[in-house]
């Protein structure tokens, strides 16, 4: 049984030259609008032969660094500056972004746990399906901009994943390093099956993700890292002229640190509800066994706090942002500092291979 075409329609022509601003329109019927549509803003900037980059933010609606940086880029990028095609979707999950929440108020869907999606599913699943079957096949490289949202604060990093295809892994890692954030990461996901990351990588595309701050806000510093990183990403893959080193405003004061997350023990999750006291700050070095947090019982006085220890040496790269914590909440993430992220068996030199012309 064949899958029906996506119900989403685009008001832009992906094959046209120049700059186009439009929408991805998803029909909905809700109490406030019987014949309505979710309107997802999109910009396409195309100029001649070259690769296609798909730039996305707002996969989660409360992560503002990527949304803001891509809204600014969509308003400023000129066709004559581009070699190939740049597709910009600042807010993948528009309902969530408009509500200022991680998930969609229309169906409760977490877009980054909804891939590859379903054209017959709810709103969130239909958005995921359109990206999986329409936008991702068009691109050669994809950059998805995340941050911690309202519940996490995270050191600024760009990341790749371990992949079966070593050349694809190398090319993605090169993009993460070229992004130029203070940290570059080889990231371990607790459950990658339904992530956008996996949907893109499974199609053989080069994929880079980020975490660039959090707390449900943005700062001049986090936006500077984000905007500079997007520019460097496009330069690295040949979509903009110049070299990444030519755009080093807001460059990190220290050399880039390489981080590896080898397994799930990097994540420290609370087994208690209460008030969280973190004893280390973001970016601090910790050793196995160090006290990193205490959780206090808020229902009574005189109770000793529950103490949490680091299960590995490394750097605190993420922390829970609200002080109130529940059972199962991630309260800290610790990654190892390494000298190199490349595997010994990686194929040197393949990351510099030119990308193909526009993929249709």
């Amino acid at each position: 049984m064949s899958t029906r075409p996506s119900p989403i329609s685009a008001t832009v022509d992906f094959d046209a030259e120049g700059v186009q601003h439009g929408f991805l329109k998803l029909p909905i019927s809700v109490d406030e609008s019987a014949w309505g549509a979710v309107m997802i803003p999109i910009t396409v900037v195309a100029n001649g032969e070259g690769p296609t980059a798909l730039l996305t933010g707002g996969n989660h609606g409360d992560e503002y660094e990527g949304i803001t940086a891509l809204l600014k880029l969509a308003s400023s990028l000129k066709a004559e500056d581009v070699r190939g095609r740049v597709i910009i979707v600042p807010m993948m999950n528009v309902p969530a972004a408009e509500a200022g929440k991680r998930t969609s108020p229309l169906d409760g869907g977490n877009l980054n746990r909804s891939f590859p999606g379903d054209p017959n599913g709810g709103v969130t699943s239909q958005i995921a399906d359109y990206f999986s079957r329409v936008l991702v096949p068009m691109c050669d490289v994809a950059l998805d901009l995340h941050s911690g949202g309202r519940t996490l604060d995270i050191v600024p990093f760009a990341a790749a994943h371990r992949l079966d295809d070593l050349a694809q892994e190398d090319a993605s890692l090169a993009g993460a390093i070229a992004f130029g954030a203070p940290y570059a990461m080889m990231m371990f996901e607790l459950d990658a099956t339904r992530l956008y990351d996996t949907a893109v990588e499974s199609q053989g595309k080069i994929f880079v993700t980020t975490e660039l701050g959090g707390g449900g806000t943005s700062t001049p510093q986090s936006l500077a890292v984000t905007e500079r990183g997007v520019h460097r990403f496009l330069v690295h893959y040949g979509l903009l002229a110049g070299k990444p080193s030519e755009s080093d405003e807001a460059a990190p004061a220290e050399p880039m640190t390489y981080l590896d997350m080898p397994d799930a023990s990097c994540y420290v999750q609370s087994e208690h509800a209460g008030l969280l006291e973190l004893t280390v700050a973001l970016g601090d070095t910790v050793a196995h066994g160090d006290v990193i947090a205490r959780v206090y019982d808020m229902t009574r006085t005189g109770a000793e706090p529950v103490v949490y220890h680091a299960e590995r040496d490394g750097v605190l790269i993420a922390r829970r942002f609200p002080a109130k914590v529940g059972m199962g909440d991630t309260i800290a993430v610790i990654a190892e500092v390494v000298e190199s992220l490349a595997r010994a068996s990686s194929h040197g030199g393949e990351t510099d291979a030119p990308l193909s012309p526009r993929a249709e």
Side-chain angles (χ1 to χ4, degrees), residues 8-26 39-46 52-54 74 85-90 130-131 134-135 138 358 360:
I8 294 177
S9 60
T11 67
V12 295
D13 180 354
F14 291 104
D15 296 322
E17 299 282 304
V19 178
Q20 300 173 77
H21 305 290
F23 299 94
L24 306 175
K25 298 171 62 175
L26 170 59
M39 306 288 282
I40 303 173
I42 185 170
T43 293
V44 181
V45 183
T52 292
L54 176 58
R85 178 174 55 181
V86 180
I87 302 172
I88 306 170
V89 185
Y130 185 83
F131 274 84
V134 179
L135 291 184
M138 292 184 189
R358 295 187 201 174
E360 301 300 348

Side-chain angles (χ1 to χ4, degrees), residues 52-59 65-67 69-70 73 85-92 112 131 135-136 139-147 157-161 171-181 196-197 200-201 205-212 225-237 239-240 355:
T52 292
L54 176 58
L55 309 180
T56 52
N59 195 326
E65 291 81 356
I67 295 173
L70 293 185
L73 179 66
R85 178 174 55 181
V86 180
I87 302 172
I88 306 170
V89 185
M91 293 164 288
M92 296 172 74
N112 209 31
F131 274 84
L135 291 184
V136 171
C139 82
D140 299 288
V141 298
L143 173 65
D144 192 31
L145 297 168
H146 285 263
S147 54
F157 68 78
H161 301 101
S172 298
L173 176 58
I177 293 172
F179 190 90
Y196 177 55
D197 316 37
V200 178
E201 291 163 347
K205 310 296 184 174
I206 298 168
F207 181 80
V208 175
T209 189
T210 70
E211 297 290 352
L212 297 163
V225 171
T226 306
E227 292 180 63
R228 172 177 170 270
V230 172
H231 181 90
R232 289 173 59 93
F233 178 90
L234 293 174
V235 170
H236 175 77
Y237 291 115
L239 285 115
L240 292 178
L355 294 172

Side-chain angles (χ1 to χ4, degrees), residues 109-175:
N110 180 337
L111 181 57
N112 209 31
R113 304 295 186 275
S114 300
F115 286 87
D118 182 354
N120 298 311
V123 167
T124 304
S125 189
Q126 289 176 327
I127 294 172
D129 170 73
Y130 185 83
F131 274 84
S132 295
R133 291 198 293 148
V134 179
L135 291 184
V136 171
M138 292 184 189
C139 82
D140 299 288
V141 298
L143 173 65
D144 192 31
L145 297 168
H146 285 263
S147 54
R150 293 184 299 166
T151 64
L152 292 170
D153 197 9
I154 307 176
V155 298
F157 68 78
H161 301 101
R162 295 296 181 201
L163 302 171
D164 292 336
D165 186 325
L166 295 184
Q168 182 187 7
E169 178 184 306
D170 284 349
S172 298
L173 176 58

